[in-house]
Amino acid sequence: MFSLGLLLFFAALPSCYYDNEELLYGKGAPCDTTQARYSQKVAAILQSNCTGCHKQGNASGSIQLDDYASVKACESGGRFLGAVRQSQGYVAMPPSGKLSNCDMMILEKWVREGAQNN
Ligand code: HEC
């Protein structure tokens, strides 16, 4: 019975871990998400990490991330954050490794607030 309890405890750990932003990103990590807007931060993050492979004329996976309408279309398709978070069932993006936690927090906040053209 004890070992079963222990097993359940460890089985439950990952979900707690991923649900907790503070744990995931570190308490008080210096990340300014106040400007999580398309024009302020999002476009720049995508420019630095994504548009090399996702732009007009080189739209890998038929995905373009070099203008708002295309990014919005990708986000609406539901695979944007999954790819960036490198969640199971998605092709991990960018292929070279994860974005920084801060960049990810900014993208997540922007999506959470409606992925607006702001
Ligand atoms: C080195 C090139 C490269 C870079 C950089 C890159 N991608 Fe991709 N991306 C691809 C390719 C190639 C595919 C198609 C993969 C496939 O279908 O197997 C793809 C597919 C995707 C998909 C679809 C994933 C899925 O599971 O359906 C999304 C969303 C995506 N990329 C977003 C991004 C974002 C956001 C970034 C930047 C954070 C990025 N990509 C950076 C090459 C790249």
Side-chain angles (χ1 to χ4, degrees):
M1 202 54 220
F2 172 74
S3 58
L4 180 65
L6 208 63
L7 201 76
L8 287 175
F9 175 72
F10 282 114
L13 266 183
S15 56
C16 299
Y17 183 78
Y18 288 114
D19 284 350
N20 189 323
E21 271 195 359
E22 253 175 25
L23 269 179
L24 193 55
Y25 301 112
K27 214 171 196 170
C31 178
D32 181 9
T33 60
T34 54
Q35 297 298 314
R37 304 206 185 102
Y38 184 76
S39 61
Q40 297 291 325
K41 289 274 175 73
V42 173
I45 292 171
L46 300 182
Q47 196 81 46
S48 307
N49 299 283
C50 317
T51 55
C53 301
H54 293 288
K55 62 184 173 201
Q56 197 170 21
N58 184 21
S60 301
S62 306
I63 291 168
Q64 241 178 272
L65 297 171
D66 55 350
D67 62 80
Y68 172 75
S70 304
V71 177
K72 176 71 179 170
C74 176
E75 191 277 317
S76 303
R79 301 199 66 82
F80 181 70
L81 279 188
V84 166
R85 286 175 177 145
Q86 313 209 339
S87 304
Q88 204 175 353
Y90 297 86
V91 184
M93 291 291 137
S96 57
K98 274 195 177 185
L99 292 179
S100 71
N101 284 340
C102 188
D103 284 353
M104 213 150 7
M105 280 173 84
I106 289 166
L107 295 184
E108 285 171 347
K109 184 171 183 222
W110 177 69
V111 168
R112 199 161 57 236
E113 292 177 347
Q116 297 171 60
N117 189 4
N118 50 11

